[in-house]
Amino acid sequence: MNAVDLGVNLFVTLFALLDPIGNLPIFAAATAGATLRQRISVSALICVFAAVFLAFFLFTGLALLQFFGISLAAFRIAGGILLLFLGLDMARGDFLAMFADKDALADSQDVRGYARRRFQRLVVPFAIPLMIGPGAISAVIIQAGEAAKLGYAGTIGSVVAIAAACAVSFVCFALTGSLSRLLGEVGMAIIVKVLGLILCALAIQFILLGLGEAVPGMISGAVTTPYPAVGR
């Protein structure tokens, strides 16, 4: 595998894990009433944060886990539990209400102030762990080992892939106005509840995978990896 293949694989993986399309209804609800400039500013802050956060784990992820004595299996289990609670909130409660904000209605010219307040509110739980969950972090950490085999070319390819995935996410989030008008409050609430159910299942998958790694033979491989990997 060369640096280009490595970068393309990481980009595809991160785009699927960041899931900007699936997270559009939540972002639309979180920026309801915002102007285009305000929404672009919030999108930029979130996606720059995501890029920096993922790049940080690309360069230091394995060393950081080793420093704290945390195994990748334990990290998967902890992240899965956190995602499970988030998924339950999305599936059974008025999840979108917790993101409600009226500041944009009060002053549509306050772009920087609005973006800063919304970013502080959306770092958790939207940016982490809804976008940057254990899957994305694990993928970057694992990819770091592959990139190291290719030297600087592998590292550059990985950084470009992270930047590209976050850039595409920025474009998706910046153009949520039409989606919110199309779906309305009821449509977005339905989508969020369905996504919550999917997130719960994904969280259980992470927990099972972590347990399978921590205690070999405890859980069947057909459960932790129900579908064969593409290309194998």
Side-chain angles (χ1 to χ4, degrees):
M1 178 182 292
N2 56 36
V4 175
D5 293 334
L6 188 74
V8 171
N9 288 342
L10 181 58
F11 168 78
V12 173
T13 301
L14 285 180
F15 181 77
L17 293 171
L18 294 177
D19 194 15
I21 304 299
N23 288 323
L24 276 179
I26 299 175
F27 185 80
T31 56
T35 64
L36 179 60
R37 290 181 59 198
Q38 289 173 330
R39 185 172 288 116
I40 289 175
S41 297
V42 178
S43 303
L45 287 177
I46 290 176
C47 293
V48 167
F49 170 80
V52 172
F53 193 85
L54 291 174
F56 172 78
F57 273 95
L58 176 69
F59 290 106
T60 66
L62 289 175
L64 191 63
L65 292 181
Q66 292 173 358
F67 175 79
F68 287 105
I70 302 173
S71 67
L72 192 57
F75 182 81
R76 291 184 193 275
I77 295 172
I81 293 173
L82 186 60
L83 281 177
L84 179 61
F85 285 129
L86 181 61
L88 289 173
D89 286 339
M90 292 174 63
R92 68 186 180 185
D94 190 5
F95 186 74
L96 296 180
M98 66 184 294
F99 294 102
D101 181 76
K102 302 300 180 182
D103 289 340
L105 298 177
D107 185 3
S108 60
Q109 301 301 318
D110 182 19
V111 177
R112 291 186 178 180
Y114 174 83
R116 183 177 63 253
R117 290 190 298 272
R118 285 284 81 195
F119 173 71
Q120 292 173 350
R121 180 65 187 83
L122 293 175
V123 167
V124 177
F126 183 76
I128 303 173
L130 201 55
M131 282 184 64
I132 311 171
I137 295 175
S138 299
V140 168
I141 292 176
I142 294 171
Q143 197 79 354
E146 297 297 324
K149 300 176 183 178
L150 299 176
Y152 288 110
T155 300
I156 293 174
S158 299
V159 171
V160 171
I162 291 174
C166 292
V168 173
S169 299
F170 162 74
V171 173
C172 292
F173 292 145
L175 300 177
T176 55
S178 57
L179 177 72
S180 60
R181 289 191 297 270
L182 177 64
L183 295 177
E185 293 183 4
V186 175
M188 288 191 295
I190 293 174
I191 292 178
V192 168
K193 289 184 182 298
V194 173
L195 290 175
L197 178 61
I198 296 175
L199 190 61
C200 286
L202 183 62
I204 296 297
Q205 193 71 39
F206 279 127
I207 294 173
L208 291 175
L209 183 59
L211 290 174
E213 292 176 350
V215 188
M218 175 181 178
I219 300 175
S220 171
V223 176
T224 56
T225 310
Y227 302 107
V230 177
R232 291 185 179 180

